[in-house]
Amino acid sequence: MSIFTLPYYRTFRQNTLLPILAIVRSAKLRKDEAELAAMLSSWRDRKLQELYFIQVAATLLSAAAIGCLSWETPDHEHWVGPAAWYCSLVLSLFSVLLSTSQSFIFTTIIRKESRAGTKSQPPIFEHDILIIRRIVKNEDSLRSINTSSRT
């Protein structure tokens, strides 16, 4: 996990890993399910906002890369320039598509939960509890990875 998140590990740790570990700690302490549902809901909202930000940033990057199409190319240019341009164009378009699909999935899950939940009972499902239990089992390995990355 550290290799995949190396370029943005601090953001990943603050916005994803530590909130998940806080939710796991609350589940371990057997806190109220309403509080657990509220923590899950706020985490999902933050992740959805993060996906929207990535969509906007990737759209701007792809627009800038596409804007370079009108530039004149020099006769004797090195191959690295066009290769980097095409790579940035492909990666920015890929990030737009990926963040759009992930935000669609998140939005669908949130809508499904809001329809299933009633006003008196917060929308928390068995699937969320199973994920939290799996993280509780693997929390020691996550904690060792987290502390080893700090040192």
Side-chain angles (χ1 to χ4, degrees):
M1 183 168 58
S2 297
I3 292 172
F4 288 123
T5 62
L6 185 65
Y8 66 102
Y9 185 72
R10 181 182 171 118
T11 305
F12 168 75
R13 195 171 135 256
Q14 294 295 328
N15 293 334
T16 304
L17 187 61
L18 292 180
I20 287 174
L21 291 177
I23 292 169
V24 167
R25 255 182 259 114
S26 295
K28 267 186 169 178
L29 296 174
R30 307 258 188 244
K31 289 194 176 180
D32 186 23
E33 281 196 8
E35 184 180 341
L36 190 61
M39 291 174 78
L40 281 169
S41 178
S42 76
W43 179 80
R44 284 184 183 151
D45 290 341
R46 278 196 311 264
K47 293 311 281 181
L48 196 58
Q49 292 295 326
E50 184 179 328
L51 286 171
Y52 289 149
F53 175 77
I54 289 171
Q55 279 178 320
V56 170
T59 303
L60 290 174
L61 285 172
S62 60
I66 290 172
C68 296
L69 283 172
S70 63
W71 292 2
E72 290 184 30
T73 57
D75 294 334
H76 301 290
E77 91 178 305
H78 198 267
W79 64 270
V80 173
W85 179 79
Y86 284 115
C87 285
S88 68
L89 182 62
V90 166
L91 289 175
S92 62
L93 290 175
F94 181 71
S95 64
V96 167
L97 293 174
L98 191 60
S99 63
T100 302
S101 69
Q102 286 180 355
S103 65
F104 174 74
I105 291 169
F106 253 22
T107 306
T108 305
I109 290 171
I110 290 171
R111 283 187 194 145
K112 182 179 175 184
E113 285 181 358
S114 66
R115 276 188 266 139
T118 60
K119 301 245 184 218
S120 62
Q121 181 181 358
I124 186 165
F125 290 107
E126 296 287 327
H127 182 64
D128 294 334
I129 298 294
L130 289 174
I131 291 172
I132 291 171
R133 285 183 186 152
R134 190 177 311 142
I135 293 172
V136 167
K137 288 179 187 175
N138 297 331
E139 183 183 16
D140 294 330
S141 65
L142 284 174
R143 187 164 289 153
S144 67
I145 290 171
N146 195 20
T147 56
S148 66
S149 66
R150 283 188 216 158
T151 58

